Amino acid sequence: MEIINNFGLDPLLLGAQIVNFLIIFYVLKRFLYKPVLGILKKREDTIKEGLRQAEDGKKLFEEAQNKEKEILTRAQNQAQTILEEAKIQTDELAKQIEQKAQKNASDIINSATEKINQEREIAEKKLSEYVSRLAVELLEKSASELFDAKDQKQLIKIATDKFKKLN
Amino acid sequence: MHSSFAAESVVQIGIFKVTNALINALFVDIIIIAICYLVAKNIKLIPGYLQNATELIIHSFYEMTESVAQEKAKIIFPFFMSFFIFILLSNWTALLPGVTSIGFFKDHELVPLMRGATSDLNTTLGLALVSIAATHIMSIRAVGVKDYLSRYISLNPINLFIGILEIISEITKVISLSFRLFGNIFAGEIVLFTVSGIFAFLFPIPFLTLEIIVGLVQALVFSMLTMAFMAILTTPHHQPDHA
């Protein structure tokens, strides 16, 4: 008891200090630790979410880049194919046009040649008729002076027949 | 100036003596409530200076608790941190100029209006009792009544003997926690009183610095021991503990 008195131990004071600490404990827990730990957790979550979003964004960006490359490669391949097809088609078309032109030219030449031949034949025939007629007329004029009427007729008849045979 | 173990009574309300140590404890309460109010009022996701400092301290101590108590950190941390803050502020406010020197004369002796709360055994014993009671309540909640009692009571004579030793150790925990804190802080005050009595200027400064360190160390010792006891007793009896 003397020791207790020397140290000033008092049940009321002891109780008061216990109650005092318990109140302070409650105040600290309710108004300091809870909000501060809450805000720390919230910030941690925000940072984690931000990092996650950044990671997702990075993934999306990489995916977009890959997709872009894929699309470009596909487009290049398609363009190459189209070009090749176009070239083949152009070559074929050019060939067809050339063939057609050649055929047309050939037809035109043939047609012209035929026409020329026809014209020539007609001209030759007309010329022959004309020459024959001239010859007959010349013969008639020459024979009138050299032969009598009977011989003239016979001569002209022979000449006319020969011209007819020639024509 | 006081030099007795017991805290001096400043006012008496009925049978209740309001001692200078209790007034100091109330002063510490005001500081803590003010800090809580300022922090809680202005808490934001992007912190200011006060919130930043508070977060730094609380987060550091929470991580320290997690490193010792792992998943039980959430329930142990409030006790650990509260003991630390209350004891630290009690120790340090006792070093403020005028705390042990401003008072009134009673029977030709100066009775200071305030004296370090932790230099009164009522405070330190109260804190130790709260610490041990909270530890045992936490233990019962964590491991269950059966496992809790099996730590102290057993039909096996060897375990029964160990159980008795455990009960004695629980009593000594209260004594060691309360007297260690009380002894260190009270001795510090006596040293400062004596040194200031020899030469009041500049000479006490190294001792004052030492007391600041002692105040911090004692607050840490008390709170960390509480944390260790809580971590041990909340671990099931037959499992290895983490502390």
Side-chain angles (χ1 to χ4, degrees):
Chain A
M1 279 303 282
E2 199 181 331
I3 293 171
I4 290 170
N5 283 334
N6 283 340
F7 281 109
L9 276 175
D10 180 350
L12 281 175
L13 274 173
L14 183 68
Q17 290 288 10
I18 289 171
V19 170
N20 176 56
F21 179 76
L22 289 175
I23 292 167
I24 280 302
F25 171 76
Y26 172 77
V27 168
L28 282 167
K29 193 178 173 186
R30 175 74 182 78
F31 298 105
L32 192 69
Y33 310 145
K34 200 178 169 186
V36 171
L37 288 174
I39 205 90
L40 282 170
K41 179 83 174 67
K42 198 175 171 185
R43 196 177 298 131
E44 194 183 329
D45 290 345
T46 310
I47 292 166
K48 274 183 185 169
E49 180 64 18
L51 285 172
R52 197 187 60 74
Q53 282 181 351
E55 194 65 32
D56 287 352
K58 201 178 166 186
K59 273 182 190 170
L60 280 172
F61 180 67
E62 280 172 3
E63 276 174 20
Q65 273 187 326
N66 290 336
K67 211 168 181 179
E68 185 192 355
K69 274 183 190 172
E70 200 181 300
I71 290 166
L72 276 173
T73 313
R74 209 163 57 206
Q76 277 176 342
N77 290 338
Q78 279 180 349
Q80 191 67 31
T81 313
I82 291 165
L83 272 172
E84 280 169 9
E85 280 175 5
K87 202 177 172 186
I88 292 164
Q89 281 177 350
T90 311
D91 287 348
E92 275 177 13
L93 201 64
K95 211 172 175 180
Q96 281 175 0
I97 291 165
E98 196 184 337
Q99 282 174 350
K100 202 174 172 181
Q102 278 178 347
K103 194 175 174 288
N104 284 346
S106 177
D107 289 348
I108 291 164
I109 289 165
N110 290 337
S111 165
T113 310
E114 201 178 314
K115 213 169 180 180
I116 288 165
N117 287 337
Q118 281 176 355
E119 291 287 328
R120 188 167 50 82
E121 278 173 12
I122 293 165
E124 278 177 354
K125 203 176 178 179
K126 277 182 179 175
L127 188 65
S128 175
E129 281 173 3
Y130 182 68
V131 169
S132 298
R133 201 168 60 244
L134 274 178
V136 170
E137 280 176 5
L138 187 67
L139 189 63
E140 277 176 353
K141 275 183 182 174
S142 313
S144 62
E145 289 172 6
L146 296 171
F147 301 102
D148 55 15
K150 193 183 170 186
D151 288 340
Q152 275 182 27
K153 273 187 182 176
Q154 198 171 354
L155 188 64
I156 288 162
K157 194 179 179 279
I158 292 163
T160 308
D161 289 343
K162 274 190 177 179
F163 284 133
K164 277 181 182 172
K165 276 181 186 176
L166 280 170
N167 288 332
Chain B
M1 179 70 204
H2 71 92
S3 60
S4 65
F5 287 129
E8 292 85 357
S9 171
V10 177
V11 184
Q12 183 140 5
I13 304 165
I15 55 161
F16 186 72
K17 281 187 267 182
V18 178
T19 61
N20 43 17
L22 186 64
I23 292 173
N24 182 251
L26 294 173
F27 177 58
V28 169
D29 292 353
I30 292 166
I31 295 170
I32 290 171
I33 290 166
I35 292 169
C36 288
Y37 176 75
L38 286 172
V39 173
K41 189 188 167 193
N42 302 311
I43 201 151
K44 288 170 196 158
L45 200 60
I46 300 162
Y49 293 114
L50 180 68
Q51 192 187 330
N52 223 343
T54 315
E55 280 181 11
L56 178 74
I57 295 165
I58 289 178
H59 192 245
S60 306
F61 276 76
Y62 192 80
E63 280 190 337
M64 198 192 288
T65 316
E66 264 188 333
S67 70
V68 176
Q70 272 104 34
E71 73 277 3
K72 294 181 202 91
K74 205 174 176 182
I75 49 165
I76 294 175
F77 172 74
F79 286 97
F80 169 56
M81 195 73 213
S82 302
F83 279 122
F84 177 77
I85 292 172
F86 184 78
I87 294 168
L88 184 77
L89 287 176
S90 298
N91 294 347
W92 281 359
T93 49
L95 302 174
L96 289 173
V99 167
T100 50
S101 54
I102 297 171
F104 59 93
F105 282 97
K106 188 179 179 184
D107 301 330
H108 306 290
E109 203 174 323
L110 178 71
V111 176
L113 282 173
M114 278 203 276
R115 153 182 172 157
T118 43
S119 66
D120 178 16
L121 192 63
N122 287 304
T123 314
T124 58
L125 186 63
L127 293 173
L129 286 171
V130 171
S131 164
I132 299 302
T135 304
H136 284 268
I137 292 165
M138 218 178 268
S139 176
I140 293 167
R141 280 187 177 175
V143 299
V145 181
K146 199 181 167 188
D147 200 355
Y148 171 77
L149 288 175
S150 74
R151 196 182 283 269
Y152 306 103
I153 302 160
S154 175
L155 293 173
N156 183 325
I158 296 168
N159 287 342
L160 185 65
F161 179 69
I162 293 167
I164 292 164
L165 289 180
E166 287 274 1
I167 292 166
I168 294 166
S169 86
E170 293 305 316
I171 297 162
T172 53
K173 272 180 195 174
V174 178
I175 297 167
S176 72
L177 278 174
S178 56
F179 274 89
R180 184 189 301 108
L181 182 58
F182 165 72
N184 274 287
I185 303 306
F186 183 74
E189 281 191 7
I190 296 296
V191 167
L192 279 178
F193 170 66
T194 311
V195 167
S196 303
I198 296 167
F199 192 70
F201 302 101
L202 297 173
F203 188 54
I205 289 174
F207 294 94
L208 208 58
T209 312
L210 183 75
E211 280 313 306
I212 291 170
I213 297 165
V214 168
L216 175 70
V217 169
Q218 286 309 313
L220 265 176
V221 166
F222 191 100
S223 51
M224 288 197 79
L225 279 171
T226 299
M227 178 172 67
F229 295 151
M230 285 175 171
I232 293 166
L233 282 183
T234 49
T235 307
H237 189 36
H238 299 294
Q239 275 183 20
D241 54 67
H242 302 292

